[in-house]
């Protein structure tokens, strides 16, 4: 029987390699690249390729695997050369015999104390820890292995991706609409395998697309709705694999024009690539190729990737019940690196993150540089997630304190200065300017003439929203949907403000939803504003793409916000609008025109996060009780915390706005 082999290169530097040989069956649940069948891990023969040293000098430990899959409890022997060897003996049932050689590896970080790790977080050598290579070879075909003897490498209720019971599958199919059935088929068809494991979904999978550009890559932000859909459907392994592989990519060397960003930066995307090995035996090498923004349009680093990763890590634990992943030392270290990058001291006087244009979902020039709401809402959500997941000890106390302080300051700042309703706009309209005083009302020196004419008639008598951006002498009054939804989901806004956001969406349904949910922002930049702010971007023309286009992927986040605020029927209404068109229109990335009537002029079809956003929304509606695991209620402890730069011992009068009585 013909067989072929591949060496899989893990995304760390230096890399680790796994040689995987397979015949017609698949490995660990997925055959590279298309089969969805499972094979038992007892069919694998693992041998050490070499023994490259770890330049960091940190000793690595062995990987802990399900021993039922590889060996009997009395058949463990230890090999020389710094490796630990598990030898599996054949059973009386005629099981294939295999040998597993496991060198000391860095994967099992759980055997280290968290406190001993903190001193290495900012050490360059710490980034170089890697898993020593293993070789996997198929030795014999095994028949009739009981399910209880199979290795289980995932988390959650149905850890093996796609291995759903027949009864459950039948019941699910009977309850699904034709649109849902097609969506699930397309979503599973978009899954990307790496070394036989599912590790993500491609951005788009349009069979008629002749120029894929980077839509054949796995994007961190794009995979989030796919992950939620899978987990809500009981499938957790793909999410676990994604989190671990992107965590390894975090330590990859990142350089653009001889400059390297901080070690906590997560990639925007990665792609599984392969290269043939020497010889004519059909062997090839698989490796992950990440993009940290060096290949992106405008060469902008993805600020939101690390924030999404932390949010998804918490959701994985909540939905699967597998909290061991977030307790691993490598995962704890990944969280710390992201936090230290975000919490680093700088010149800014405010608790918001300062970013460039194009550093989030809106990844082209759209005038959101500065302190865009989307980044601040995701930042706040990630901080709340991290505070839940960080293991508190002597080494992390200062970091936890910094997180709490930033949460407190950020929530106050956004609630106080980003919120607008009819009353606040009238207040801005009457602002005095050029106020030089610690008691100034117009702290950012906003000129009343900045209030756009469209807003005066558009803002409803009830409800309000958080503006898109705030900088000295500048307020961006556009409504950005993702930022406002996450302000609601994370309780960045208070209860009254959260209700106000949902009320405004209801009041302005024809503007924000209309023929397809939901507008990415409102209104569009037109004429001179479009030419000046976007640089005459031909893709971001008025009411297209990021400039007022309608994005169905926002549907799942809208559904989550609706469930939190007790507006389930509103979510059902939006999902029904989308369901009428998405299948017929071939699942486009976005829609154009003011009311979302046309498929976007450059929209990719069979866009994965459009498909996943719809499915995640449907699953949340079916299981609203699970939504409570994914949003946050008000944290009253944060409201009582105030950390000011003016200490009581400084002798200066504290002018903190938080405790300043409202002006009459």
């Amino acid at each position: 029987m013909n067989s072929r082999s591949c060496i899989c290169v893990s995304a760390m530097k230096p890399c680790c390699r796994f040689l995987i040989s397979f015949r017609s069956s698949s490995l660990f649940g997925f055959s590279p690249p298309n089969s969805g069948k499972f094979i038992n891990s007892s069919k694998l023969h693992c041998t050490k390729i070499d023994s490259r040293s770890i330049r960091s000098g940190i000793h690595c430990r062995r990987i802990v695997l399900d021993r039922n899959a590889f060996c009997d409890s009395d058949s463990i022997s230890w090999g020389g050369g710094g490796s630990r060897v598990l030898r599996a003996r054949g059973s009386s049932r005629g099981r294939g015999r295999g040998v597993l050689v496991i060198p000391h590896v860095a994967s099992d970080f759980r055997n280290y104390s968290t406190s001993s790790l903190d001193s290495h977080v900012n050490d360059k050598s710490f980034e170089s820890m890697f898993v020593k290579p293993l070789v996997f070879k198929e030795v014999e075909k095994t028949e009739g292995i009981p399910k209880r003897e199979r290795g289980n490498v995932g988390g959650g209720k149905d850890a093996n991706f796609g291995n759903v019971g027949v009864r459950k599958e039948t019941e699910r199919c009977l309850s699904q609409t034709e649109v849902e059935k097609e969506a699930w088929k397309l979503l599973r068809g978009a899954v990307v395998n790496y070394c036989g494991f599912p590790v993500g979904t491609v951005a788009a999978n349009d069979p008629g697309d002749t120029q894929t550009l980077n839509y054949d890559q796995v994007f961190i932000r794009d995979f989030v709705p796919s992950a939620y859909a899978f987990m809500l459907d009981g499938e957790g392994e793909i999410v676990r694999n994604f989190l671990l592989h992107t965590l390894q990519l975090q330590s990859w060397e990142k350089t653009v024009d001889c400059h390297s960003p901080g070690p906590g930066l997560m990639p925007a995307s990665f792609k599984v690539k392969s290269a043939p090995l020497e010889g004519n035996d059909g062997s090839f090498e698989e490796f992950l190729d990440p993009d940290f923004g060096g290949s992106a349009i405008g060469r902008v680093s993805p600020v939101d990737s690390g924030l999404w990763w932390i949010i998804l890590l918490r959701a994985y634990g909540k939905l699967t019940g597998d909290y061991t992943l977030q307790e691993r030392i490598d995962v704890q270290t990944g969280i710390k690196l992201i936090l230290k990058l975000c919490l680093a001291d700088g010149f800014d006087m405010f608790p918001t993150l300062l970013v460039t244009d194009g550093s989030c979902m809106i990844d082209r020039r759209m005038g959101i540089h500065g302190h865009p709401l989307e980044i601040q809402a995701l930042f706040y959500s990630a901080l709340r997630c991290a505070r839940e997941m960080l293991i508190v000890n002597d080494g992390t106390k200062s970091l936890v304190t910094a997180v709490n302080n930033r949460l407190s300051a950020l929530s106050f700042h956004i609630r106080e200065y980003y919120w607008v309703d009819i009353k606040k706009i009238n207040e801005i309209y009457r602002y005095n300017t050029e106020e030089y005083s610690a008691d100034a009302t117009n702290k950012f020196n906003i000129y009343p003439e900045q209030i756009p004419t469209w807003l005066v008639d558009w803002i409803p008598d009830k409800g309000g929203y958080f503006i898109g951006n705030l900088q000295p002498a500048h307020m961006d009054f556009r409504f950005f949907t993702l930022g406002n939804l996450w302000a609601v989901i994370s309780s960045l806004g208070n209860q009254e403000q959260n209700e106000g956001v949902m009320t405004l969406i209801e009041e302005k349904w024809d503007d924000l939803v209309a023929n397809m949910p939901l507008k990415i922002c409102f209104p569009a930049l037109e004429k001179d504003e479009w030419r000046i702010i976007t640089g005459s971007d031909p893709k971001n023309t008025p009411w297209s793409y990021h400039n007022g286009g309608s994005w169905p992927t926002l549907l799942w986040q809208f559904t989550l916000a609706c469930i939190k605020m007790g507006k389930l029927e509103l979510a059902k209404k939006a999902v029904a609008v989308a369901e009428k068109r998405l299948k017929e229109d071939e699942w486009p990335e976005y829609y154009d025109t003011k009311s979302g009537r046309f498929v976007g002029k450059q929209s990719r079809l069979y866009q994965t996060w459009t498909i996943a956003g719809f499915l995640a929304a449907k699953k949340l509606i079916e299981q609203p009780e699970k939504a409570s695991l994914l949003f946050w209620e008000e944290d009253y402890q944060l409201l009582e915390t105030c950390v000011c730069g003016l200490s009581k011992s400084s002798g200066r009068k504290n002018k903190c706005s938080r405790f300043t009585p409202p002006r009459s």
Side-chain angles (χ1 to χ4, degrees):
M1 184 180 295
N2 294 330
S3 65
R4 55 196 178 114
S5 306
C6 70
I7 288 182
C8 302
V9 180
S10 172
M12 298 184 72
K13 184 182 180 181
C15 65
C16 69
R17 299 185 173 190
F18 298 81
L19 177 59
I20 303 177
S21 297
F22 50 89
R23 293 190 175 96
S24 60
S25 56
S26 60
L27 174 65
F28 292 123
F30 279 83
S31 64
N34 296 319
S35 173
K37 300 178 181 179
F38 284 80
I39 91 167
N40 191 276
S41 50
S42 63
K43 298 169 70 175
L44 303 175
H45 179 122
C46 307
T47 356
K48 184 177 166 185
I49 298 177
D50 59 31
S51 55
R52 291 174 294 179
S53 60
I54 299 177
R55 56 180 179 155
S56 66
I58 300 176
H59 293 291
C60 298
R61 314 285 285 226
R62 66 184 179 87
I63 297 178
V64 179
L65 297 173
D66 188 340
R67 77 179 177 193
N68 290 330
F70 294 95
C71 64
D72 297 325
S73 59
D74 60 347
S75 60
I76 299 177
S77 61
W78 303 102
S83 298
R84 299 181 180 181
V85 185
L86 301 178
R87 298 188 181 276
R89 297 174 179 170
S91 69
S92 59
R93 291 186 292 270
R95 227 167 84 177
R97 185 176 179 182
V99 178
L100 172 65
V101 180
I102 302 190
H104 298 312
V105 295
S107 295
D108 190 18
F109 285 116
R110 224 174 301 168
N111 293 313
Y112 293 96
S113 67
T114 52
S115 58
S116 66
L117 192 65
D118 292 316
S119 60
H120 299 285
V121 167
N122 294 318
D123 188 352
K124 289 291 183 184
S125 64
F126 180 80
E127 303 170 40
S128 306
M129 293 172 60
F130 68 99
V131 183
K132 284 191 176 181
L134 303 174
V135 181
F136 287 75
K137 295 180 182 178
E138 185 180 12
V139 283
E140 288 183 29
K141 186 173 181 181
T142 306
E143 300 290 347
I145 302 300
K147 183 176 179 180
R148 59 183 174 83
E149 295 186 13
R150 299 177 186 172
N152 186 354
V153 292
K157 297 176 181 177
D158 294 303
N160 291 323
F161 176 77
N163 188 23
V164 182
V166 176
R167 180 178 300 177
K168 178 182 176 182
E169 186 72 26
T170 303
E171 292 175 354
R172 183 170 58 188
C173 289
L174 289 174
S175 63
Q176 288 176 350
T177 64
E178 290 302 316
V179 178
E180 290 176 81
K181 290 177 183 178
E182 177 177 292
W184 278 113
K185 181 180 178 181
L186 292 170
L187 182 59
R188 292 192 168 92
V191 169
V192 173
N193 294 321
Y194 173 59
C195 299
F197 294 94
V199 294
T201 51
V202 292
N205 200 17
D206 184 355
D209 194 357
T210 56
Q211 291 184 326
T212 58
L213 298 178
N214 58 351
Y215 282 84
D216 60 347
Q217 298 184 20
V218 179
F219 282 81
I220 287 187
R221 78 172 68 94
D222 290 40
F223 178 69
V224 172
S226 296
Y228 275 68
F230 284 133
M231 290 189 294
L232 289 166
D233 200 45
E235 301 170 3
E237 185 197 6
I238 187 173
V239 183
R240 182 185 179 91
N241 294 340
F242 171 85
L243 289 167
L244 289 175
H245 279 292
T246 48
L247 174 64
Q248 291 178 341
L249 290 172
Q250 185 188 46
S251 63
W252 192 279
E253 184 176 332
K254 306 172 275 283
T255 303
V256 176
D257 294 338
C258 303
H259 175 72
S260 297
L265 181 67
M266 284 287 190
S269 63
F270 66 85
K271 184 176 181 178
V272 178
K273 294 185 177 181
S274 61
L277 295 174
E278 295 180 3
N280 298 318
D281 59 351
S283 298
F284 63 96
E285 182 180 61
E286 261 190 1
F287 59 94
L288 297 181
D289 183 20
D291 176 20
F292 291 91
S295 300
I297 297 172
R299 302 301 186 267
V300 180
S301 59
V303 176
D304 65 336
S305 286
L307 307 178
W308 279 121
W309 186 87
I310 291 179
I311 292 168
L312 182 57
L313 177 63
R314 174 188 180 267
Y316 172 81
K318 291 287 187 179
L319 290 176
T320 68
D322 177 16
Y323 293 98
T324 59
L325 181 63
Q326 60 188 239
E327 294 168 358
R328 287 171 50 142
I329 301 302
D330 53 345
V331 175
Q332 287 283 310
T333 302
I335 296 172
K336 294 174 192 175
L337 289 173
I338 296 171
L339 291 178
K340 291 190 176 185
L341 186 63
C342 294
L343 298 173
D345 293 332
F347 292 100
D348 210 347
M349 289 289 292
F350 308 111
T352 43
L353 279 181
L354 178 64
V355 301
T356 61
D357 222 338
S359 58
C360 51
M361 179 181 175
I362 298 177
D363 56 3
R364 299 169 73 93
R365 180 177 166 186
M366 269 291 291
I368 65 168
H369 56 280
H371 307 88
L373 176 67
E374 177 176 332
I375 290 293
Q376 313 316 321
L378 293 176
F379 181 36
Y380 185 81
S381 302
L383 289 176
R384 293 200 67 171
C385 291
R387 189 174 64 158
E388 290 181 30
M389 296 185 294
L390 277 174
I391 297 174
V392 181
N393 52 39
D394 291 339
T396 59
K397 283 182 180 178
S398 59
L399 183 59
V400 172
T401 299
V403 168
N404 284 328
N405 292 343
R406 193 60 164 265
L407 280 168
S408 176
L410 184 59
S411 63
F412 172 76
H413 186 84
I414 298 296
R415 292 178 183 188
E416 181 72 10
Y417 303 121
Y418 277 65
W419 177 255
V420 293
D421 54 16
I422 187 67
K423 181 179 179 181
K424 182 67 176 181
I425 292 171
N426 199 170
E427 181 183 327
I428 296 171
Y429 181 73
R430 293 170 52 83
Y431 268 169
N432 292 321
T433 59
E434 317 300 331
E435 292 181 292
Y436 182 79
S437 168
D439 297 319
T441 300
N442 187 2
K443 293 180 174 61
F444 294 90
N445 198 34
I446 303 299
Y447 299 106
E449 288 75 14
Q450 287 187 24
I451 299 175
T453 54
W454 65 264
L455 182 62
V456 175
D457 296 324
W458 189 76
I459 191 75
D461 292 332
K462 295 181 179 180
Y465 66 101
F466 295 99
I467 60 171
N469 211 329
L470 176 65
Q471 299 184 73
H474 173 66
M475 295 181 81
D476 185 346
F477 287 98
R478 285 176 292 174
F479 176 90
F480 287 85
T481 302
L482 191 147
N484 274 277
L485 292 179
W486 275 95
V488 173
I489 292 167
S490 66
S491 287
L492 176 56
N494 59 37
Q495 181 67 20
E496 183 180 355
Q497 290 169 338
N498 293 341
E499 290 175 355
V501 169
M502 304 310 295
T503 298
L504 180 134
I505 293 174
E506 281 190 273
E507 291 284 328
K508 298 299 175 181
W509 187 266
D510 291 340
D511 291 328
L512 302 177
V513 178
N515 293 293
M516 180 56 62
L518 287 125
K519 286 293 177 191
I520 191 171
C521 68
F522 183 91
L525 299 171
E526 299 180 283
K527 300 179 180 178
D528 287 342
E529 275 192 319
W530 169 74
R531 283 190 288 270
I532 294 169
I533 294 177
T534 73
S536 301
D537 186 347
K539 194 169 185 178
N540 274 330
T541 53
W543 305 110
S544 180
Y545 202 50
H546 298 140
N547 189 16
S550 299
W551 291 69
T553 188
L554 295 171
L555 195 58
W556 73 273
Q557 294 157 98
F558 177 66
T559 301
L560 189 56
C562 284
I563 293 173
K564 178 186 175 181
M565 302 309 297
K567 294 182 177 290
L568 183 59
E569 293 304 315
L570 193 64
K572 291 180 179 179
K573 180 181 176 182
V575 169
V577 171
E579 193 165 7
K580 290 177 182 178
R581 296 190 59 187
L582 288 178
K583 182 177 183 292
E584 180 181 343
D585 293 339
E586 298 180 298
W587 308 94
E589 179 182 13
Y590 63 94
Y591 286 77
D592 282 356
T593 75
K594 189 173 182 179
S595 62
R597 292 190 67 187
F598 291 173
V599 173
K601 58 185 176 183
Q602 295 188 42
S603 177
R604 287 296 193 281
L605 302 180
Y606 299 100
Q607 184 81 10
T608 304
W609 70 350
T610 295
I611 298 164
F614 167 75
L615 289 174
K618 293 286 283 190
K619 282 293 179 183
L620 286 168
I621 290 173
E622 291 173 12
Q623 310 167 79
E625 70 283 355
K626 289 189 176 180
S628 62
L629 302 173
L630 303 173
F631 58 69
W632 295 262
E633 298 294 349
E634 180 74 274
D635 187 337
Y636 293 99
Q637 185 178 358
L638 287 177
L639 301 180
E640 299 172 359
T641 305
C642 181
V643 179
C644 293
L646 303 175
S647 65
K648 295 180 180 178
S649 60
S650 66
R652 298 176 62 189
K653 186 178 179 182
N654 194 324
K655 295 294 183 182
C656 175
S657 300
R658 176 169 299 202
F659 300 110
T660 302
R663 304 173 75 91
S664 57

